[in-house]
Amino acid sequence: MITLFGQTFAITDPEVLILGGAALFLVLFLALILRTAGRSATMAAPLMREMGWLSQRVQQLGDGQERLAGGLHHVSEAQAVSQTAMLQVMEQRLAEVSRQMGESLHGTSTRTARSLGELQQRLETIDKAQANIEKLSGNVLSLQDILSNKQTRGAFGEIQLHDIVQKALPKDAYTMQATLSNNRRADCLIHLPNPPGPIVIDAKFPLEAYEAIRRAETPRQAQEAATLMRGAVRQHIRAIAEKYIIEGETADGALMFLPSEAVYAELHSNFPDVVREGFAVKVWIVSPTTCMATLNTMRAVLKDARMREQAGAIRKELALLYADVDRLGTRVENLDRHFGQASKDLEEIKISSEKATKRARRLDNFDFEEIANTPPTPVIAPSAAE
């Protein structure tokens, strides 16, 4: 930094560099003149003139330097004013940016808090769903354990059959685990009237054969699984026909209940010959859906049979109802006659009351002295209407 005429300038400023260069040039020039003056005395006069000229130039340079200093002073003042204005603008811009950033950060924090709340709710929902899935997976594993055993699988089919029958029929229309005359126990016996008579529903679940069909990966495995399925269903059909169709005791047919819609669909899609064999021996295969439809039809049959059984009682009740209605008509006629007589009596009472009122008015208007001189009026007995 250089202080000149009360002003401070940086060394790197262009004006300072120009002035320094001019001063250096002047010093060098003066040194050159002095050196030249020492060499030759004869050249003193010209040198003096040159010195006078140089002094004038120096004076001019000084004046120019003063003007330059004044210009630099004005420039520095203008720069200070401009710098102050620029600082004010920058402070305003910084304040505006700070306000906008504060509002943006506040909005962002609000949205973030809301998003975190929603995320927390979704996580809670996911946790509940996960718990339900884990519970369901445990139930599925339990169901697989149940279906893996023949006895438990049979109990599963019986429970499902009982649930369907309980929803479709009244309690006195069926018997679960009914024992027949041949000491065979049927899963369910529907008490239908003759014809067709009581009909047996037996639950069967050929799960192994169906699982073998699903697991088959080669044509040979598929053929072996189909043979196993066909043999298992045929064995069930023959067993039902032999055990649960008894002439004179049950209907001439029976139902085989499959507690799986998938097994039922597989059987009717790919084993129609087995289904026809069941038709031949009057063993009809039903699934949960078709069993419900069949039971609803049986319910209508039971309702119609019970209506026929109660037809005599209904006719008897109708006869008693007719007698009650006839007796009610007679009593209504008697009551109507009594009301007519009471109306007639009321009318006669009204007539008598009017005549008595008229006589009282005449008595109130009579002059008793005139009555004393007037012969008495003969009394006439009133009629029945008076």
Side-chain angles (χ1 to χ4, degrees):
M1 302 296 291
I2 299 174
T3 302
L4 183 63
F5 301 107
Q7 296 290 328
T8 302
F9 301 96
I11 297 175
T12 57
D13 286 345
E15 294 84 358
V16 175
L17 293 176
I18 293 171
L19 290 175
L24 181 61
F25 175 75
L26 180 61
V27 171
L28 291 176
F29 187 71
L30 289 175
L32 180 61
I33 292 173
L34 292 174
R35 186 177 180 183
T36 305
R39 289 180 182 179
S40 178
T42 57
M43 297 179 63
L47 287 176
M48 291 300 292
R49 290 193 297 268
E50 290 293 333
M51 287 296 293
W53 180 79
L54 287 174
S55 63
Q56 293 178 358
R57 296 296 297 172
V58 169
Q59 184 66 30
Q60 292 176 357
L61 288 174
D63 295 338
Q65 186 176 3
E66 291 179 359
R67 290 194 298 271
L68 179 60
L72 290 175
H73 179 70
H74 290 298
V75 169
S76 63
E77 290 180 353
Q79 186 177 2
V81 172
S82 176
Q83 186 176 3
T84 303
M86 184 178 294
L87 288 175
Q88 292 178 355
V89 172
M90 290 181 66
E91 289 177 355
Q92 293 177 358
R93 293 294 297 170
L94 286 174
E96 182 69 20
V97 170
S98 298
R99 184 183 62 79
Q100 293 179 357
M101 288 184 64
E103 293 178 354
S104 178
L105 289 175
H106 179 70
T108 303
S109 62
T110 304
R111 290 191 296 270
T112 303
R114 187 183 301 111
S115 300
L116 289 175
E118 294 176 355
L119 180 61
Q120 181 67 25
Q121 293 178 357
R122 290 189 176 91
L123 288 176
E124 291 177 357
T125 304
I126 292 172
D127 290 338
K128 292 180 181 179
Q130 182 68 25
N132 293 331
I133 291 173
E134 292 177 356
K135 183 178 179 181
L136 181 61
S137 63
N139 294 335
V140 171
L141 293 176
S142 300
L143 181 61
Q144 290 179 352
D145 295 337
I146 291 173
L147 297 180
S148 62
N149 184 276
K150 288 185 178 180
Q151 293 180 352
T152 56
R153 187 166 64 244
F156 172 76
E158 293 173 6
I159 292 172
Q160 190 172 2
L161 175 62
H162 179 265
D163 184 59
I164 294 174
V165 173
Q166 187 178 15
K167 291 179 180 178
L169 299 177
K171 293 183 178 180
D172 58 346
Y174 64 91
T175 301
M176 302 301 297
Q177 300 299 320
T179 302
L180 303 179
S181 60
N182 57 1
N183 294 326
R184 301 291 186 179
R185 181 172 293 180
D187 292 335
C188 181
L189 180 66
I190 308 298
H191 303 299
L192 291 178
N194 289 315
I199 187 169
V200 172
I201 304 177
D202 192 64
K204 300 295 182 183
F205 200 173
L207 183 62
E208 292 88 349
Y210 176 72
E211 291 292 338
I213 292 175
R214 291 184 57 190
R215 291 192 303 266
E217 297 179 355
T218 62
R220 181 177 179 180
Q221 292 178 354
Q223 185 177 2
E224 292 176 354
T227 302
L228 180 63
M229 181 74 170
R230 188 175 285 105
V233 176
R234 283 175 176 172
Q235 182 180 358
H236 292 326
I237 290 174
R238 287 195 298 269
I240 292 173
E242 293 173 359
K243 296 178 183 179
Y244 305 123
I245 299 178
I246 304 174
E247 186 177 358
E249 182 179 354
T250 65
D252 59 352
L255 299 177
M256 185 175 79
F257 174 71
L258 295 177
S260 173
E261 297 288 348
V263 177
Y264 179 82
E266 178 69 24
L267 190 64
H268 281 74
S269 298
N270 299 322
F271 301 94
D273 53 333
V274 179
V275 178
R276 287 194 296 270
E277 290 180 8
F279 290 163
V281 295
K282 296 184 178 180
V283 175
W284 297 283
I285 302 173
V286 294
S287 67
T289 303
T290 56
C291 182
M292 179 63 75
T294 304
L295 292 175
N296 285 329
T297 303
M298 292 180 181
R299 182 174 183 173
V301 172
L302 288 171
K303 184 177 180 181
D304 183 68
R306 291 183 180 182
M307 288 291 291
R308 289 198 303 269
E309 291 175 359
Q310 299 297 327
I314 292 173
R315 284 195 295 270
K316 182 178 178 181
E317 292 296 329
L318 287 175
L320 294 175
L321 178 62
Y322 177 77
D324 291 338
V325 171
D326 184 65
R327 191 178 302 110
L328 178 62
T330 302
R331 291 175 179 175
V332 168
E333 290 178 358
N334 294 334
L335 182 61
D336 182 64
R337 185 169 58 255
H338 291 318
F339 274 122
Q341 184 64 38
S343 177
K344 183 178 179 182
D345 294 341
L346 289 172
E347 189 66 26
E348 292 177 353
I349 290 171
K350 183 178 179 181
I351 294 172
S352 298
S353 175
E354 291 177 353
K355 288 184 177 182
T357 302
K358 292 178 180 179
R359 291 182 186 278
R361 288 175 180 173
R362 287 200 301 270
L363 288 173
D364 187 47
N365 295 327
F366 280 168
D367 187 355
F368 289 98
E369 293 180 356
E370 294 179 0
I371 294 176
N373 297 324
T374 304
T377 303
V379 178
I380 300 173
S383 63
E386 298 176 349

